[in-house]
């Protein structure tokens, strides 16, 4: 969830790498109930909408078990499959900390869960967004490799002042990515998978453009951090993501220099338009974007 994470001070109870104990025994029954409600609702809604890799991961990690998952239990299975573990953090952590965790196959998950009156949306990633939305995909070896390579790329990007480009790549794949399958479009992005309304909007609404993934195009496209996207990018396979990380990003950044951002509702002649959006939803909203 790429948000502004640089001005948060490290909480006293956090380690140098911003990790904290999950303190699973400390969750209240009300907090466990929030997880179970969200998990059952979303699992039902995602049948026929989420990609197979996600649904298989959800089952493999037994995340539908009632209540907030204990990371120690989930990690036994997760590390066996792809070497990843979940680590608990208080919330957003600084970019360099975040990338370092990913580069070492540690997924930083918010330890807190939203309150019952935030069931449909909250700005900061909580344990439901992070563990239900992101973690099942980490059981897929190809996606697991992509996420680690993304972390390694992020650490390099910081050095080149290219973080905003990488944040867009993260946003339009890891958070809001769609996958082309023989059965049709399926969701793999955590921001959609953990959102009841956007799971439907992203796959069925006539408003957004749905475009073929292109690395430079994505890096020139701002994103919305407080509303549905008006452009989604589709990869033909998860292997496409892994292939992207083999690219020479320095050459990509060089070609991007001087190229203006592309407003969210705009199409370029070279776009592979899978579905042409009506933009009715987007034009009704005045929303904040990462950059106009
Ligand atoms: N911290 N815990 C956490 N989760 C994120 O998704 C996250 C973060 N810090 C920074 C960040 N995401 C984004 O800026 C990434 O694009 C780097
Ligand atoms: Fe996220």
């Amino acid at each position: 969830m790429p948000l502004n994470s640089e001005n948060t001070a490290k909480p006293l109870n956090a380690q140098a790498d911003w990790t904290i104990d999950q303190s699973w025994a400390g969750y209240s029954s009300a907090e466990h109930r929030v997880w179970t409600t969200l998990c059952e609702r979303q699992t039902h809604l995602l049948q026929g909408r989420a990609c197979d890799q996600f649904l298989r991961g959800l089952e493999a990690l037994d995340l539908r078990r009632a209540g907030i998952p204990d990371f120690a239990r989930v990690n036994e299975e997760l590390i066996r499959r792809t070497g990843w573990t979940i680590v608990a953090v208080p919330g957003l952590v600084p970019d360099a900390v975040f990338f370092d965790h990913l580069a070492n196959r540690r997924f930083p998950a918010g330890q807190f869960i939203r309150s019952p009156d935030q069931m449909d949306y909250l700005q900061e990633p909580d344990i439901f967004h992070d563990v239900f939305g992101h973690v099942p995909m980490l059981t897929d070896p190809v996606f697991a490799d992509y996420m680690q390579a993304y972390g390694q790329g992020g650490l390099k990007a910081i050095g080149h002042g290219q973080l905003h480009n990488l944040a867009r790549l993260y946003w339009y794949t890891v958070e809001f990515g769609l996958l082309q399958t023989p059965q049709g479009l399926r969701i793999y992005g955590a921001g959609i998978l953990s959102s009841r309304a956007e799971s439907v909007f992203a796959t069925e609404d006539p408003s957004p453009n749905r475009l073929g993934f292109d690395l430079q195009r994505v890096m020139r496209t701002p994103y919305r951090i407080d509303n549905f996207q008006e452009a989604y990018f589709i990869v033909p396979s998860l292997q496409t993501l892994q292939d992207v990380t083999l690219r020479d990003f320095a050459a990509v950044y060089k070609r991007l220099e001087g190229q203006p951002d592309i407003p969210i509702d705009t199409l370029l002649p070279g776009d592979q338009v899978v579905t042409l959006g009506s933009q009715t939803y987007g034009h009704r909203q005045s929303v904040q974007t990462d950059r106009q």
Side-chain angles (χ1 to χ4, degrees):
M1 182 70 80
L3 296 164
N4 177 14
S5 52
E6 292 313 291
N7 53 16
T8 40
K10 184 169 76 69
L12 292 179
N13 64 330
Q15 308 292 322
D17 62 1
W18 286 66
T19 54
I20 58 173
D21 292 335
Q22 184 192 4
S23 305
W24 182 78
Y27 291 117
S28 68
S29 50
E31 287 172 311
H32 282 296
R33 259 197 312 278
V34 169
W35 172 279
T36 304
T37 306
L38 287 168
C39 188
E40 286 314 301
R41 190 178 79 177
Q42 211 45 23
T43 303
H44 177 72
L45 184 68
L46 289 173
Q47 302 307 318
R49 290 191 175 96
C51 66
D52 289 344
Q53 294 87 339
F54 173 84
L55 295 173
R56 281 200 297 268
L58 203 54
E59 286 309 311
L61 299 178
D62 193 14
L63 292 182
R64 293 189 60 186
R65 182 189 291 207
I68 294 172
D70 181 347
F71 293 176
R73 176 187 64 78
V74 178
N75 285 341
E76 281 170 19
E77 182 61 26
L78 183 60
I79 203 165
R80 200 180 60 76
R81 286 172 177 261
T82 56
W84 277 83
T85 55
I86 311 167
V87 290
V89 290
L92 288 175
V93 302
D95 291 335
V97 172
F98 183 67
F99 286 126
D100 184 66
H101 281 303
L102 297 188
N104 291 285
R105 295 206 176 217
R106 294 187 301 263
F107 189 81
Q111 185 270 350
F112 71 100
I113 193 158
R114 66 193 72 184
S115 58
D117 63 350
Q118 295 175 304
M119 293 301 260
D120 282 327
Y121 181 72
L122 78 166
Q123 182 98 27
E124 177 143 357
D126 72 335
I127 192 167
F128 183 73
H129 167 84
D130 281 327
V131 176
F132 182 91
H134 282 283
V135 170
M137 286 301 294
L138 294 173
T139 61
D140 177 80
V142 174
F143 193 80
D145 288 354
Y146 170 64
M147 283 291 277
Q148 179 177 29
Y150 179 87
Q152 291 160 342
L155 291 172
K156 284 185 212 135
I158 291 178
H160 295 100
Q162 293 291 340
L163 198 53
H164 61 288
N165 283 322
L166 261 229
R168 289 175 176 179
L169 174 60
Y170 189 83
W171 192 267
Y172 282 117
T173 56
V174 179
E175 292 295 354
F176 292 93
L178 297 176
L179 175 66
Q180 188 66 55
T181 77
Q183 295 75 32
L185 288 186
R186 292 291 184 267
I187 308 164
Y188 73 89
I192 310 174
L193 291 164
S194 57
S195 160
R196 171 163 67 166
E198 195 150 6
S199 295
V200 178
F201 180 86
T203 49
E204 296 169 25
D205 199 284
S207 177
N209 292 319
R210 295 179 183 87
L211 309 175
F213 174 86
D214 171 88
L215 180 60
Q216 290 210 187
R217 177 64 164 88
V218 162
M219 288 186 165
R220 293 179 59 197
T221 308
Y223 51 81
R224 292 196 158 122
I225 64 172
D226 62 354
N227 211 318
F228 297 157
Q229 302 309 306
E230 268 313 273
Y232 293 97
F233 289 88
I234 300 166
V235 290
S237 73
L238 295 179
Q239 187 60 46
T240 307
L241 297 173
Q242 204 177 42
D243 297 348
V244 156
T245 64
L246 304 176
R247 299 273 299 271
D248 170 7
F249 273 59
V252 173
Y253 297 145
K254 194 97 191 90
R255 274 200 300 281
L256 280 170
E257 273 169 23
Q259 294 205 32
D261 283 353
I262 302 157
I264 290 176
D265 57 358
T266 303
L267 291 177
L268 294 184
D271 283 342
Q272 181 204 345
V273 181
V274 177
T275 59
L276 176 64
S278 62
Q279 299 294 316
T280 43
Y281 180 85
H283 291 161
R284 281 202 307 271
Q285 310 292 317
S286 59
V287 290
Q288 190 191 357
T289 63
D290 76 312
R291 194 180 297 176
Q292 275 297 21

